[in-house]
Amino acid sequence: MSDHEAPTTEAPTTEAPTTGAPVDEAPANEAPERVDQARQIAELEDAWRRTAAELDNFRKRCARDVVRGREQERADVATRWLPVLDNLERALEHTSSDSESVVEGVRAVLAQAVGVLADLGYPRRDDNGRAFDPAVHEAVSTVSGEGLVPGTVAQVVRPGYGTDDKILRPAAVVVATRAS
């Protein structure tokens, strides 16, 4: 190597020169560039694969969390109903005794069950006399008569549960119509 030639960091090639003629320097300059590009592509592909794996793991973890949350919520709701079941069993134990105390006990259990639904965010609706709203009422019949305001709920056949914006079950109602 002479004083005016700089050392190169090129990778040695396996190709043997065919003649003593100088080797074209363009391919030699491209080789490190191609190696560098291949390395960058490999790094990007590795990063992409790692990100895809992380995303897949995240999806699986979220799915497990949803299932676990549902199971926990179901257990919480079932736990709230256990005292209602206990009181129904107590009421049935007293069926041979005074029937009035049994009826009183069943009424207390009903009030307790309505309270559990209210605590869960679904209070029992009192819709008598309210304007009929198909979003919260299910009309099962109509009735006309003196003193009834047309378009209002004349009678609740089956109570509804929930608030106006969060209905668990609509109330089945008889709707007042205009007297003929």
Side-chain angles (χ1 to χ4, degrees), residues 82-129:
L82 290 176
V84 175
L85 293 174
D86 293 340
N87 288 333
L88 282 172
E89 287 178 355
R90 284 190 199 99
L92 288 174
E93 288 172 1
H94 298 293
T95 56
S96 62
S97 65
D98 180 24
S99 64
E100 196 155 315
S101 65
V102 172
V103 170
E104 186 179 312
V106 171
R107 282 189 181 126
V109 174
L110 174 64
Q112 185 180 26
V114 169
V116 168
L117 283 173
D119 289 345
L120 292 171
Y122 300 102
R124 185 176 181 146
R125 299 177 58 85
D126 181 21
D127 291 320
N128 274 323

Side-chain angles (χ1 to χ4, degrees), residues 8-161:
T8 60
T9 58
E10 296 175 25
T13 61
T14 56
E15 298 177 21
T18 55
T19 62
V23 178
D24 187 15
E25 289 188 39
N29 289 340
E30 286 181 18
E33 234 176 70
R34 287 184 188 255
V35 169
D36 191 42
Q37 285 177 346
R39 184 183 51 75
Q40 287 176 343
I41 289 171
E43 288 174 0
L44 289 173
E45 185 176 346
D46 182 58
W48 170 77
R49 288 183 189 278
R50 288 178 188 269
T51 303
E54 287 176 14
L55 178 61
D56 188 47
N57 290 338
F58 178 72
R59 285 181 182 149
K60 289 175 183 175
R61 188 171 51 252
C62 286
R64 282 191 308 267
D65 289 348
V66 166
V67 168
R68 194 175 311 125
R70 284 182 184 156
E71 289 171 355
Q72 183 62 46
E73 188 63 30
R74 287 177 50 168
D76 290 347
V77 170
T79 300
R80 291 182 183 203
W81 281 102
L82 290 176
V84 175
L85 293 174
D86 293 340
N87 288 333
L88 282 172
E89 287 178 355
R90 284 190 199 99
L92 288 174
E93 288 172 1
H94 298 293
T95 56
S96 62
S97 65
D98 180 24
S99 64
E100 196 155 315
S101 65
V102 172
V103 170
E104 186 179 312
V106 171
R107 282 189 181 126
V109 174
L110 174 64
Q112 185 180 26
V114 169
V116 168
L117 283 173
D119 289 345
L120 292 171
Y122 300 102
R124 185 176 181 146
R125 299 177 58 85
D126 181 21
D127 291 320
N128 274 323
R130 287 186 64 187
F132 175 75
D133 180 357
V136 295
H137 301 122
E138 180 182 318
V140 294
S141 182
T142 60
V143 66
S144 62
E146 299 267 336
L148 295 175
V149 178
T152 62
V153 174
Q155 178 187 357
V156 175
V157 177
R158 184 192 69 213
Y161 291 89

